[in-house]
Amino acid sequence: MNEFTRLDAIVKRIAESTVRRLSIYLRFLEEFEVRGSTTVSSEELARRGGTTSAQVRKDLSFFGSFGKRGLGYSVPELSTALREILGLGREWRVVIIGAGKIGAALAQYRGFRQRGFNILAVYDSNPEKVGRTLEGIEIRDMSRFESDVERERPEIAVIAIPGEGAQEVLDRIVRTGIKAVLNFAPVQLHAPADVTVKAVNMAMELEGLSFALSNRD
Amino acid sequence: MNEFTRLDAIVKRIAESTVRRLSIYLRFLEEFEVRGSTTVSSEELARRGGTTSAQVRKDLSFFGSFGKRGLGYSVPELSTALREILGLGREWRVVIIGAGKIGAALAQYRGFRQRGFNILAVYDSNPEKVGRTLEGIEIRDMSRFESDVERERPEIAVIAIPGEGAQEVLDRIVRTGIKAVLNFAPVQLHAPADVTVKAVNMAMELEGLSFALSNRD
DNA sequence: ACATGTGAACTGCTTCACAGCG
DNA sequence: CGCTGTGAAGCAGTTCACATGT
């Protein structure tokens, strides 16, 4: 074991690509857990994750020494470690803004709660929708947003509205002190450096495909 | 003008990050077009896109010289050039596999067709759904998939089914000769190198947020 | 003997800085 | 003079290769 056994002792900035791969490794480990495998090598994780064994070992090495030389990694131990690293050992409180198609799809997405993301409420300004529920989750009027956040202290906000109002909504979110935002609106948003904004942008991925199709030899 | 005036003459491999930024620039240019602005500087594009002016100029330089020194870029000229580069000057035929919540949301997403992505059909194996329509788009039985593709020649396939069956469906897609796939299933998929697979993975983005929240000083 | 953990080398993206041109 | 276009420098992420521990 090296000096990083305490996970909170991490100092260096971890690359986004590393974090993404950790998610992928964890997904495989959970498959292995179900199947009852006990150990796994960096080589095997690499093959499944579409990367190299050196990359797997390097990614893990930022956080500690989890393997046994000559043997590999214990599946349950590494799963636990990765869940801890990714902050999945606890519950996160989530609010969704926008009860349209995307918001509704998210509200009923099972994998959400499964991984510890607890949806407190969905917000919308359409009076037609306010008061209804989506899979048992209340649709509340957007005017209540700030006061609700103060009381319920969600850590994560999801923007699921069309592009036009998105920056304005983000500004409101930022003002409440929420530090993590998942954006489904197909626009580039700006937030202070201490607020993490991740985007899920289908339009951009499609254009990436269009580019790839147009530029093959 | 440099030697790359013919866009199809591009040789060097373009980074994915560059292509993403081109999408972003194009989105702003379209806003400028609407507002009737005639020229724009790399500095302005950078500010809006959350990057640097040098980055903007470098990104564009891979494809040609589109600006005027001392002046900036002509909004309509650069828009046209970017649309051409991204392959958005034509229509792409798209099929969606999976008529569940995501598939349905995609089928009725207006931005899809707006950018030239023409959805031919949605496929599902559930007999309850087959035969219905989503926003005028037919839901067809998955058993017809291969023969339909042969006839209608879609260029892009969208995977909108749960994780379990996704690799199998991708294998079927690949066998038909389709070379571009957008994957919404929350699993890592494997395809031959000549097939471009882009993933929209909300679960992974959420875990990235969880990590960010857990690792702030 | 075998697979990890990790400095060192490498690759490639980003930033710098300035020449070139309108 | 201002802003582009671009080699060169800088930096970050990936891959290599091997010493290390079991």
Side-chain angles (χ1 to χ4, degrees), chain A residues 7-8 10 14 16 19-24 26-28 31 46-50 63 84-88 90 92 94 101-102 104-106 108-109 112 115 117 155-158 179-182 184 186-188 190 194-216, chain B residues 7-8 10 14 16 19-24 26-28 31 46-50 63 84-88 90 92 94 101-102 104-106 108-109 112 115 117 155-158 179-182 184 186-188 190 194-216:
Chain A
L7 295 175
D8 53 354
I10 300 143
I14 302 296
E16 194 177 306
V19 178
R20 295 180 95 82
R21 283 191 299 267
L22 294 180
S23 284
I24 295 174
L26 177 56
R27 207 148 280 123
F28 293 133
E31 278 179 36
R47 197 160 353 98
R48 303 243 180 176
F63 301 95
E84 181 68 23
I85 291 166
L86 291 171
L88 299 175
R90 53 162 290 178
W92 296 105
V94 179
K101 276 277 131 53
I102 306 169
L106 293 176
Q108 78 171 91
Y109 176 54
F112 235 127
R115 288 202 165 257
F117 296 94
E155 290 94 3
I156 298 173
V158 178
K179 299 295 185 204
V181 178
L182 185 58
F184 282 85
V187 292
Q188 191 71 8
H190 297 274
D194 68 329
V195 178
T196 307
V197 180
K198 300 256 173 191
V200 173
N201 194 332
M202 188 197 61
M204 200 166 292
E205 303 300 338
L206 270 178
E207 291 179 14
L209 288 177
S210 171
F211 176 83
L213 286 168
S214 303
N215 294 279
R216 40 183 70 251
Chain B
L7 296 174
D8 53 353
I10 300 142
I14 302 298
E16 195 177 305
V19 179
R20 296 180 95 81
R21 283 191 300 268
L22 295 180
S23 285
I24 295 174
L26 177 56
R27 207 149 279 123
F28 294 132
E31 280 179 34
R47 197 162 352 99
R48 304 242 181 176
F63 301 95
E84 181 68 23
I85 291 166
L86 291 170
L88 300 174
R90 53 163 289 179
W92 295 105
V94 179
K101 277 276 132 50
I102 306 169
L106 293 176
Q108 77 171 89
Y109 176 54
F112 233 128
R115 289 204 163 257
F117 297 95
E155 290 93 4
I156 298 173
V158 178
K179 299 296 187 203
V181 177
L182 184 58
F184 282 86
V187 291
Q188 191 71 10
H190 297 273
D194 68 328
V195 179
T196 307
V197 179
K198 300 257 174 192
V200 173
N201 194 333
M202 189 196 59
M204 200 164 291
E205 304 300 336
L206 269 177
E207 292 179 13
L209 288 177
S210 171
F211 177 83
L213 287 169
S214 305
N215 295 279
R216 38 183 69 253

Side-chain angles (χ1 to χ4, degrees), chain A residues 15 17 21 52 55 57-58 69-70:
Chain A
S17 50
R21 283 191 299 267
T52 66
Q55 182 75 78
R57 295 196 301 276
K58 182 64 91 181
R69 289 165 200 250

Side-chain angles (χ1 to χ4, degrees), chain A residues 38-151:
Chain A
T38 55
T39 57
V40 65
S41 64
S42 58
E43 183 54 44
E44 194 159 2
L45 281 172
R47 197 160 353 98
R48 303 243 180 176
T51 181
T52 66
S53 62
Q55 182 75 78
V56 172
R57 295 196 301 276
K58 182 64 91 181
D59 287 338
L60 296 176
S61 76
F62 295 129
F63 301 95
S65 303
F66 305 105
K68 296 194 195 348
R69 289 165 200 250
L71 246 165
Y73 301 89
S74 149
V75 171
E77 275 175 31
L78 188 56
S79 299
T80 303
L82 285 181
R83 266 189 284 267
E84 181 68 23
I85 291 166
L86 291 171
L88 299 175
R90 53 162 290 178
E91 222 182 48
W92 296 105
R93 291 183 294 276
V94 179
V95 289
I96 295 174
I97 292 136
K101 276 277 131 53
I102 306 169
L106 293 176
Q108 78 171 91
Y109 176 54
R110 296 190 130 289
F112 235 127
R113 179 164 238 120
Q114 232 168 55
R115 288 202 165 257
F117 296 94
N118 179 23
I119 302 172
L120 301 180
V122 178
Y123 290 87
D124 205 294
S125 350
N126 182 347
E128 294 266 299
K129 290 175 179 171
V130 173
R132 298 190 183 186
T133 63
L134 285 170
E135 302 279 309
I137 299 162
E138 240 188 308
I139 302 180
R140 300 174 181 170
D141 196 289
M142 190 60 197
S143 62
R144 292 176 48 182
F145 179 66
E146 283 80 2
S147 54
D148 285 354
V149 169
E150 200 170 344
R151 185 164 22 83

Side-chain angles (χ1 to χ4, degrees), chain B residues 124-141:
Chain B
D124 205 293
S125 351
N126 182 346
E128 295 266 299
K129 291 175 178 170
V130 172
R132 298 189 184 188
T133 64
L134 287 169
E135 302 280 310
I137 298 162
E138 238 189 309
I139 303 180
R140 300 176 181 168
D141 195 289

Side-chain angles (χ1 to χ4, degrees), chain B residues 7-163:
Chain B
L7 296 174
D8 53 353
I10 300 142
V11 185
K12 239 193 299 174
R13 175 134 198 77
I14 302 298
E16 195 177 305
S17 49
T18 295
V19 179
R20 296 180 95 81
R21 283 191 300 268
L22 295 180
S23 285
I24 295 174
Y25 306 152
L26 177 56
R27 207 149 279 123
F28 294 132
L29 287 166
E30 286 172 345
E31 280 179 34
F32 286 133
E33 262 182 328
V34 170
R35 286 200 246 123
S37 314
T38 54
T39 57
V40 65
S41 64
S42 58
E43 182 55 43
E44 193 159 3
L45 280 172
R47 197 162 352 99
R48 304 242 181 176
T51 182
T52 65
S53 62
Q55 181 76 78
V56 172
R57 295 197 299 278
K58 183 63 91 180
D59 286 340
L60 297 176
S61 78
F62 294 129
F63 301 95
S65 304
F66 305 105
K68 296 195 198 340
R69 289 163 200 250
L71 245 167
Y73 301 88
S74 149
V75 170
E77 275 177 30
L78 188 54
S79 300
T80 303
L82 285 181
R83 266 189 284 268
E84 181 68 23
I85 291 166
L86 291 170
L88 300 174
R90 53 163 289 179
E91 223 183 48
W92 295 105
R93 292 183 293 274
V94 179
V95 289
I96 296 173
I97 291 136
K101 277 276 132 50
I102 306 169
L106 293 176
Q108 77 171 89
Y109 176 54
R110 294 190 131 291
F112 233 128
R113 177 163 238 121
Q114 230 168 57
R115 289 204 163 257
F117 297 95
N118 179 23
I119 303 173
L120 301 181
V122 179
Y123 290 87
D124 205 293
S125 351
N126 182 346
E128 295 266 299
K129 291 175 178 170
V130 172
R132 298 189 184 188
T133 64
L134 287 169
E135 302 280 310
I137 298 162
E138 238 189 309
I139 303 180
R140 300 176 181 168
D141 195 289
M142 189 60 196
S143 63
R144 292 178 45 185
F145 180 66
E146 282 79 2
S147 55
D148 285 355
V149 169
E150 198 170 346
R151 186 164 21 85
E152 299 176 339
R153 298 248 158 256
E155 290 93 4
I156 298 173
V158 178
I159 298 178
I161 62 170

